[in-house]
Amino acid sequence: HQTGDSTAQTVAIQMIAVEDPLLVALREELAADYAVEKELGRGGMAIVYKAKEVGLERQVALKVLPPEMAMSGGTAERFKREARLAASLDHPHIIPIYRVAQTGKFHYMAMKFVEGRAVDAIVEQQGALPIPLTVRILRDAASGLAFAHERGIVHRDIKPGNILIDKDGRVMVSDFGIARAVNESALTASGMMIGTPNFMSPEQCGAGQIGPQSDQYSLGILGFQLLTGQLPFESDSLVEVIQHHYMTPPPDINAVRE
């Protein structure tokens, strides 16, 4: 029995000792400016870490482009573009960017660390939300988006996972990762469909011209989900979801909410 306990302890110690090599390298590279604590999540392009800014002693979220991604095509340029767009938006309902930099092999941006939850986690736990809360989420998110639109920037990926509510109840739009200036045509391949299909506007589905109305459409789908706990159009087939966006009237929200 003692041998078994000893073996288990050895395995546990080995598991603790093994760390993600990328995290270790990042800690070493940014040690002068940030104490990198842990990974928070991964997206299609970047990894987000929780860290403390050494000089100002404040918690931040570091969005980091892994070195291997920086070597692939226009990914590094797209990451820089996202950083430029996001850093230009100073609004209480948009997560602020503190710093954009490249250190050694890492491209990164430091942004406000939001102590709270994304809306998708809230809906998953609670289902349909009360109308007053839904109105506040939509109003505040729309305020942030309107600010971006006035500056010629379209988010293009509005969904509950990109709307955060902090511990004080403030609603904040995050992740301008595929945002684009309205008059910008470079860096996006012609005919490429970009976005999250269940929340995409018909013009996004067709890889057409994108404008502020695309974000408004996505926000409308978000509102439907908040009020009903479900999406207006669901299917296991991507093609069918896209067809719904083009041709299917949304369900009666009152009937679904009952």
Side-chain angles (χ1 to χ4, degrees), residues 132-258:
L133 177 57
T134 297
V135 169
R136 186 162 65 82
I137 292 172
L138 295 177
R139 182 193 63 213
D140 292 349
S143 176
L145 288 173
F147 183 85
H149 296 161
E150 288 166 2
R151 283 147 187 81
I153 297 171
V154 181
H155 189 287
R156 300 204 299 170
D157 197 22
I158 292 300
K159 59 185 179 182
N162 284 338
I163 308 295
L164 306 181
I165 302 180
D166 70 15
K167 59 184 177 60
D168 297 319
R170 177 181 291 182
V171 177
M172 307 185 80
V173 180
S174 73
D175 201 353
F176 277 75
I178 61 172
R180 184 169 136 195
V182 172
N183 60 357
E184 183 180 278
S185 58
L187 301 176
T188 302
S190 177
M192 181 182 295
M193 185 181 71
I194 297 179
T196 302
N198 283 319
F199 294 87
M200 282 176 13
S201 65
E203 60 269 26
Q204 281 180 280
C205 293
Q209 182 66 38
I210 306 297
Q213 295 84 358
S214 297
D215 285 346
Q216 293 167 3
Y217 182 94
S218 300
L219 196 64
I221 295 180
L222 172 64
F224 186 98
Q225 186 183 38
L226 297 183
L227 289 170
T228 64
Q230 62 189 59
L231 292 166
F233 309 127
E234 295 189 81
S235 174
D236 294 331
S237 165
L238 173 62
V239 173
E240 288 182 1
V241 170
I242 292 172
Q243 288 177 338
H244 282 312
H245 285 304
Y246 274 108
M247 298 182 293
T248 307
D252 181 348
I253 197 166
N254 291 313
V256 177
R257 189 174 166 84
E258 289 178 354

Side-chain angles (χ1 to χ4, degrees), residues 116-127 129 160-161 163-164 225:
R117 289 198 297 169
V119 168
D120 59 349
I122 297 173
V123 173
E124 182 177 350
Q125 181 182 40
Q126 301 183 21
L129 302 183
I163 308 295
L164 306 181
Q225 186 183 38

